[in-house]
Amino acid sequence: MEVEKTRAIVDPFWDEAILPAIARYIEIPCQSQLFDPEWKANGHITRAVSLAAKWVAEHLPGAKIEVVEEAGRTPVLLLEVAGDGDDTVLLYGHLDKQPPMSGWDEGLGPWKPVFRDGKLYGRGGADDGYAIFAIVGAIKAIHAQGGKHGRLVALIECGEESGSPDLAHYVNLLSDRIGTPGLVVCLDSGCGNYDQLWNTTSLRGLSAGELKVEVLSEGIHSGSASGIVPSTFRILRMLLDRLEDSSTGLLKPGWLHVKIPDHRVREAERTAEVLGQNVFGEFPFVTGATPITNDLVELLLHRTWRPTLSVTGQSGMPNVSQAGSVLRPFTSLVLSVRLPPTLRAEHVGTR
């Protein structure tokens, strides 16, 4: 395959066939079970999978496309494309989306596809709705140039944002049809820039949960209760301080850390040379805010090989505009702990 020929094939197909399909996909609020417990009744995941399956059938005739759904589980989309030889490549993506959140710029919204300055805005287009469309685009580019490829199997799930609770089940269920892949390509990552091809060699794991501190059965005015009733927020701070060094952001338990392989450190050093300040330049820091260190290599290792803690949600406290003087009975935080790639899951489970 030649780069310019591939670009000449992919670019118009992306603009004319893929972007309109992703725009329609953005309109569907297809959240997985953690964020939409009534996902089955609401039908949004079904609509998203149906859209993708029909699009694939239209643009990749001859391929085998099937929606597999077991009772009580979110569906998966299975695409099989015959190839040259017996080698199998498994390609992965997902169609469920993160919650919509708030704070969208004027004129934008989570379920409102908007083209602006050469970009398509809306929830799910980049994470991870593009995956199945990119797979088809790549296959068509190979075929158009008379190229060869091994047998291709694409497995697109609908529960990734909820921790992929159904993925292992479907991998086992469809193991005979998937076969034994010699290569697995996960289309759910990022890249450092658009000047060269990037390859994600490992991903951190995730341990998430809710930490709730409750001290009262109902709210009491702080003028009466403070000084007698312990603050739920203070207790939360104490508990978090057991896990994280609040001055550095480093996690304290030694068992959460692993020895970073020397070759991965060298890769981080080379990546820092290539990206420079772009290691953190992609993040919208407010004026005066800075990364946790100026060492670019350390930033890359923090992001890829060191455990980290993020607080991603809270309940039990009113919006600032509605907060009065009431001491709330409880406070809950949603914690997201990113784990090193080689940390054993069973080790985490025993702690």
Side-chain angles (χ1 to χ4, degrees):
M1 294 176 63
E2 298 180 18
V3 173
E4 291 307 318
K5 287 184 178 180
T6 301
R7 186 184 300 277
I9 296 167
V10 170
D11 282 356
F13 183 65
W14 188 269
D15 292 338
E16 297 166 12
I18 293 181
L19 282 181
I22 293 180
R24 295 196 302 273
Y25 162 74
I26 285 174
E27 294 177 335
I28 305 173
C30 47
Q31 300 173 91
S32 48
Q33 51 268 66
L34 184 63
F35 309 110
D36 183 9
E38 300 300 320
W39 64 269
K40 182 64 176 177
N42 291 332
H44 302 310
I45 285 181
T46 300
R47 288 170 55 205
V49 171
S50 177
L51 183 155
K54 290 179 181 178
W55 186 92
V56 172
E58 176 185 354
H59 292 282
L60 204 61
K64 186 175 182 180
I65 184 76
E66 180 182 352
V67 177
V68 181
E69 182 174 349
E70 294 248 299
R73 298 186 183 274
T74 53
V76 294
L77 188 65
L78 184 68
L79 168 65
E80 301 178 66
V81 181
D84 302 283
D86 297 327
D87 292 339
T88 295
V89 176
L90 176 63
L91 303 113
Y92 165 88
H94 66 90
L95 283 168
D96 61 306
K97 305 178 181 182
Q98 279 279 326
M101 300 182 67
S102 59
W104 290 77
D105 285 350
E106 184 177 356
L108 302 179
W111 322 127
K112 178 182 178 182
V114 175
F115 289 91
R116 181 181 294 178
D117 299 327
K119 297 180 179 180
L120 174 59
Y121 292 85
R123 179 61 85 206
D127 182 17
D128 188 36
Y130 78 91
I132 184 61
F133 303 104
I135 290 169
V136 173
I139 294 172
K140 290 179 71 69
I142 295 173
H143 290 176
Q145 296 178 73
K148 296 182 178 181
H149 58 74
R151 175 175 173 267
L152 305 175
V153 178
L155 186 65
I156 310 297
E157 66 159 318
C158 293
E160 193 272 348
E161 302 294 2
S162 293
S164 298
D166 300 324
L167 182 59
H169 171 82
Y170 282 118
V171 169
N172 291 328
L173 177 71
L174 303 170
S175 59
D176 289 342
R177 293 175 61 178
I178 293 173
T180 304
L183 174 67
V184 178
V185 180
C186 176
L187 285 92
D188 187 16
S189 188
C191 63
N193 56 34
Y194 293 103
D195 299 326
Q196 57 236 119
L197 181 66
W198 292 82
N199 183 34
T200 299
T201 56
S202 60
L203 291 171
R204 288 183 294 177
L206 172 66
S207 179
E210 179 181 342
L211 174 60
K212 181 177 182 179
V213 172
E214 187 172 16
V215 298
L216 296 170
S217 60
E218 60 184 73
I220 300 294
H221 196 287
S222 61
S224 299
S226 60
I228 296 178
V229 178
S231 163
T232 56
F233 195 80
R234 178 173 63 84
I235 297 173
L236 280 170
R237 288 200 324 239
M238 293 168 57
L239 294 173
L240 293 179
D241 281 344
R242 297 180 185 177
L243 178 62
E244 180 191 49
D245 185 329
S246 59
S247 63
T248 64
L250 297 178
L251 297 197
K252 294 179 178 180
W255 57 269
L256 283 174
H257 296 260
V258 299
K259 184 182 185 307
I260 306 174
D262 291 340
H263 67 286
R264 296 303 188 200
V265 176
R266 292 194 296 271
E267 289 172 354
E269 291 170 347
R270 180 64 181 126
T271 301
E273 291 177 7
V274 173
L275 293 180
Q277 300 297 301
N278 287 332
V279 167
F280 60 85
E282 64 176 302
F283 302 108
F285 285 104
V286 298
T287 301
T290 61
I292 62 174
T293 176
N294 292 321
D295 188 319
L296 300 181
V297 176
E298 287 300 301
L299 289 178
L300 288 169
L301 293 176
H302 283 329
R303 186 181 183 180
T304 55
W305 278 93
R306 295 200 176 103
T308 59
L309 170 68
S310 298
V311 177
T312 59
Q314 67 83 28
S315 64
M317 300 174 68
N319 186 281
V320 171
S321 64
Q322 299 297 316
S325 299
V326 175
L327 187 68
R328 301 290 164 168
F330 75 91
T331 304
S332 293
L333 300 179
V334 177
L335 306 182
S336 175
V337 180
R338 293 289 174 173
L339 305 171
T342 55
L343 187 68
R344 296 172 59 186
E346 57 267 29
H347 191 188
V348 177
T350 62
R351 301 289 169 161

